[in-house]
Amino acid sequence: MTSKKCDCQGLCDAPDFSELAPVLGKYAKVPGSLITILQKAQDIYGYLSMEAIQYVAEQTGIKAAKVYGVATFYTQFRLKPIGKNLIMLCQGTACHVNGSKMIEEAICDELKIKDGETTEDGLFTLNNVACLGCCSLSPVVMIDGETYGKLTKDSVREILRDIKKNEKA
Ligand code: FES
């Protein structure tokens, strides 16, 4: 199956894969490159849409079900768009021992989402992750690359409220 080129000159909602096309030009026929292609697609679009999966399948000749299977097998891939602020909550051993579950409960309660979900307003996505490499600060979250340590239920709620407030300002 091949995709038809849309000739609407940008007037329709057909997905634009012009950034991904060169990646496929380079890797589509290189055996064992599917993960690399999916990583690059996720880097470009922030997640792997069904349209992107279909496009990768068409360009590589790999069945869409197989591409989808790989995308869902590896936890590094996201099938939904992420929020504006990505919360990476450490669930490594030191953080676990020092209360990461309690921090997770506070975040979930504050934002009304669970691990892997995005708030309705698109502001936050929560992802549980392995050790973030700053165990002496446990329990730790990283939000948009900034590390917050020695968290309590109250302090993490305050951090989230501050970010929300700044988003609205
Ligand atoms: S276990 Fe959380 S930073 Fe290492």
Side-chain angles (χ1 to χ4, degrees):
M1 189 168 128
T2 54
S3 61
K4 274 188 275 163
K5 263 214 149 116
C6 181
D7 56 6
C8 72
Q9 295 171 339
L11 296 174
C12 74
D13 293 332
D16 174 10
F17 293 119
S18 53
E19 275 189 81
L20 187 56
V23 174
L24 282 151
K26 186 168 174 193
Y27 293 106
K29 299 300 169 204
V30 180
S33 295
L34 181 56
I35 288 178
T36 302
I37 293 168
L38 294 178
Q39 283 167 339
K40 292 193 181 291
Q42 184 163 281
D43 286 347
I44 294 168
Y45 304 110
Y47 74 108
L48 300 173
S49 65
M50 290 311 292
E51 290 85 359
I53 286 172
Q54 182 63 39
Y55 180 71
V56 169
E58 288 170 6
Q59 299 298 311
T60 57
I62 299 169
K63 283 192 171 149
K66 170 122 194 261
V67 179
Y68 180 78
V70 170
T72 51
F73 180 78
Y74 291 99
T75 53
Q76 64 176 299
F77 295 123
R78 289 183 292 273
L79 300 186
K80 289 187 197 151
I82 58 166
K84 201 166 169 198
N85 301 281
L86 177 61
I87 305 167
M88 297 200 290
L89 172 63
C90 182
Q91 296 289 2
T93 305
C95 288
H96 184 75
V97 168
N98 286 306
S100 60
K101 277 289 157 207
M102 176 186 75
I103 301 303
E104 182 176 0
E105 280 166 21
I107 294 172
C108 292
D109 181 61
E110 182 70 26
L111 300 178
K112 310 290 178 234
I113 52 173
K114 290 190 244 144
D115 177 35
E117 292 182 349
T118 299
T119 53
E120 265 179 31
D121 58 9
L123 271 188
F124 295 97
T125 296
L126 173 62
N127 269 357
N128 282 331
V129 297
C131 179
L132 287 167
C134 39
C135 311
S136 62
L137 298 176
S138 61
V140 171
V141 292
M142 191 180 276
I143 304 177
D144 297 330
E146 185 156 348
T147 304
Y148 301 87
K150 304 264 182 211
L151 293 169
T152 64
K153 284 190 284 187
D154 289 341
S155 68
V156 78
R157 282 180 192 270
E158 211 170 301
I159 290 162
L160 297 173
R161 286 174 193 170
D162 278 352
I163 293 173
K164 261 196 224 173
K165 217 190 297 164
N166 289 338
E167 291 286 349
K168 284 182 188 152

